[in-house]
Amino acid sequence: MPLNVRAAVVHAPNEPFVIETLQLEGPGKGEVLIHVKTTGLCHSDLHVYEGKAPWQFPVLLGHEAAGVVVECGPDVTRFKPGDHVIPFLIPHCGKCQYCARPEKTNLCVEAFNRLRPRESHFSMNGKPVSQLWGLGTFADYTVLPEDTIAKVRDDAPFDPICYIGCGATTGIGAAMFSARIEPGSSVIVFGLGGIGLNVVQGARLAGAKIIIGVDMNPAKEAVARQFGVTEFVNPKEIEKLTSHLMKLTGGGADYTFECIGIPQVMRQAFECTNPAWGKAYVIGVAPHGSEVSAIPTQLMMGRQWTGCYMGGARLDRLPEIVDWYVDGKINLDALVTHRLPLERIGEGFRMMQSGESIRTIVVL
Ligand code: APR
Ligand code: ZN
């Protein structure tokens, strides 16, 4: 018997969210039924909502969440009812060529499959409602494969640890797991939103000496300093931005991170790294079909231009990051600027579009 669940559904790009009763099937073999407690609103959901990333509609969006296991399907070995869990966009099949090389990558071959539409557990009057990237968390309940959820300690509050399922880990992990910033390093973070500020706190934890935050919104300076930025630069006020940043870092940054998604800014972030060993990380998601370019000789001395997905974190890192939050090592509270009930999720999306929120959490 399918379960009737309350969900915020989008029927076509840019149409308002509609609270619907959906039928939820499962859990099948290797799957888990989860009672979603909190779910964060992420720019990746917004890209799909706006039709900028191709996907099937009607859709149940949402991928950043925390909840409790209600029921386990056959052959589920790692979970039991009552476990507190966080879903993650990168599963861990444990069998593929990616899972076999954890020293090289946090990816799993299955991650690529799940970024494509697959059979959904949700339907409405017999018609399927797709689950974004195989997840779909803007609902009271969801069904997910056990290889894509992490068990976390049950004394950690659902609000705000859902943020660790995507945005917080993407930023903190980029600094700590992918770049592995060394103490004393110089770092430049372009874009001080819900991702960039987490890169800043990751860089601070790693012991970076210079952390320059670049954002065209002057209102970001105060929160950026609170998170560890040592110098704030507003690109609108600087005529030659890259040479200014080269000067501030004494010849180019050890590490830069683009956390906006604009190809021209990605190029700036590349060009202001140290010519011999600087590493520029692309984190922001650029518009579908866009391209980046650079002068080839700028690579010849050893500069590197790279990127990372989900902060280079694997599923088994999530419990540790939850510990960091509980122990006060990382700050998520100051980044959660808004909380809404599911019925008002559309307001949260409007605040992402206008840029007035850092993170909004829907409390179910
Ligand atoms: N130069 C400098 N700063 C800029 C520019 C620019 N040209 N354009 C935008 N910004 C700043 C904004 O003022 C804002 O503070 O970048 C920041 C972006 O933050 P958010 O909108 O909160 O985005 P965030 O959630 O951090 O995500 C950033 O990462 O995961 C991806 O899809 C996501 O592409 C998006 C990016
Ligand atoms: Zn996300």
Side-chain angles (χ1 to χ4, degrees):
M1 264 291 280
L3 188 69
N4 284 326
V5 301
R6 184 178 65 127
V9 176
V10 184
H11 288 275
N14 294 304
E15 277 190 13
F17 281 87
V18 184
I19 303 295
E20 307 275 16
T21 300
L22 302 184
Q23 286 72 55
L24 175 59
E25 296 279 355
K29 195 168 172 293
E31 294 175 340
V32 173
L33 171 67
I34 295 166
H35 185 182
V36 181
K37 295 288 190 177
T38 55
T39 181
L41 310 191
C42 172
H43 274 84
S44 306
D45 298 305
L46 181 63
H47 291 312
V48 177
Y49 175 83
E50 292 177 335
K52 290 179 183 162
W55 196 258
Q56 282 172 331
F57 288 78
V59 60
L60 179 64
L61 299 170
H63 58 279
E64 190 180 276
V68 181
V69 172
V70 178
E71 192 189 326
C72 297
D75 298 342
V76 167
T77 55
R78 286 181 291 135
F79 298 93
K80 58 178 192 316
D83 283 348
H84 290 207
V85 292
I86 295 181
F88 196 50
L89 278 174
I90 305 175
H92 184 78
C93 78
K95 290 179 281 219
C96 70
Q97 54 167 331
Y98 286 75
C99 285
R101 306 293 295 272
E103 77 290 357
K104 290 221 178 272
T105 183
N106 62 324
L107 294 177
C108 162
V109 163
E110 259 303 298
F112 299 99
N113 295 333
R114 302 219 179 141
L115 292 175
R116 289 190 282 268
R118 59 214 299 262
E119 209 176 317
S120 178
H121 295 86
F122 289 91
S123 62
M124 196 175 135
N125 308 322
K127 293 210 180 78
V129 173
S130 72
Q131 287 176 264
L132 182 62
W133 302 317
L135 301 180
T137 58
F138 294 163
D140 287 325
Y141 294 87
T142 193
V143 169
L144 305 177
E146 73 164 331
D147 66 6
T148 203
I149 53 179
K151 179 172 156 40
V152 300
R153 57 197 280 174
D154 55 18
D155 61 343
F158 296 113
D159 169 2
I161 62 158
C162 57
Y163 196 7
I164 291 169
C166 181
T169 297
T170 294
I172 295 167
M176 300 185 70
F177 310 145
S178 290
R180 294 185 200 159
I181 294 172
E182 304 88 356
S185 299
S186 58
V187 175
I188 308 175
V189 181
F190 291 77
L192 302 169
I195 304 290
L197 289 167
N198 276 302
V199 176
V200 169
Q201 67 173 328
R204 192 202 65 221
L205 281 171
K209 189 171 164 219
I210 300 173
I211 306 176
I212 301 169
V214 181
D215 201 296
M216 60 182 196
N217 178 356
K220 297 283 170 141
E221 178 167 357
V223 63
R225 287 197 185 273
Q226 183 194 340
F227 275 75
V229 156
T230 54
E231 187 114 22
F232 178 82
V233 173
N234 184 343
K236 284 184 181 163
E237 291 168 0
I238 309 291
E239 205 192 322
K240 288 188 177 147
L241 182 65
T242 40
S243 45
H244 179 70
L245 294 170
M246 293 290 275
K247 250 185 242 138
L248 286 179
T249 49
D254 297 320
Y255 300 97
T256 68
F257 299 87
E258 201 277 356
C259 311
I260 308 166
I262 302 175
Q264 296 92 308
V265 180
M266 291 173 184
R267 179 168 179 165
Q268 291 172 337
F270 166 69
E271 290 182 338
C272 67
T273 53
N274 179 287
W277 61 74
K279 262 186 148 181
Y281 281 84
V282 170
I283 304 177
V285 180
H288 207 65
S290 59
E291 294 185 356
V292 283
S293 56
I295 298 166
T297 50
Q298 289 184 330
L299 285 156
M300 285 184 73
M301 303 298 170
R303 267 196 181 101
Q304 294 178 57
W305 204 354
T306 183
C308 58
Y309 185 54
M310 293 289 129
R314 292 192 329 167
L315 194 56
D316 56 8
R317 281 279 193 179
L318 300 193
E320 184 187 357
I321 302 174
V322 170
D323 287 344
W324 293 351
Y325 170 73
V326 174
D327 297 342
K329 194 171 155 186
I330 58 169
N331 179 354
L332 302 178
D333 298 293
L335 299 177
V336 180
T337 50
H338 299 80
R339 292 179 173 86
L340 294 171
L342 190 64
E343 292 73 20
R344 290 172 58 195
I345 192 167
E347 291 171 42
F349 272 66
R350 279 194 293 283
M351 289 190 285
M352 270 199 283
Q353 287 169 319
S354 69
E356 65 189 281
S357 55
I358 297 179
R359 208 43 150 209
T360 297
I361 289 181
V362 167
V363 181
L364 290 134

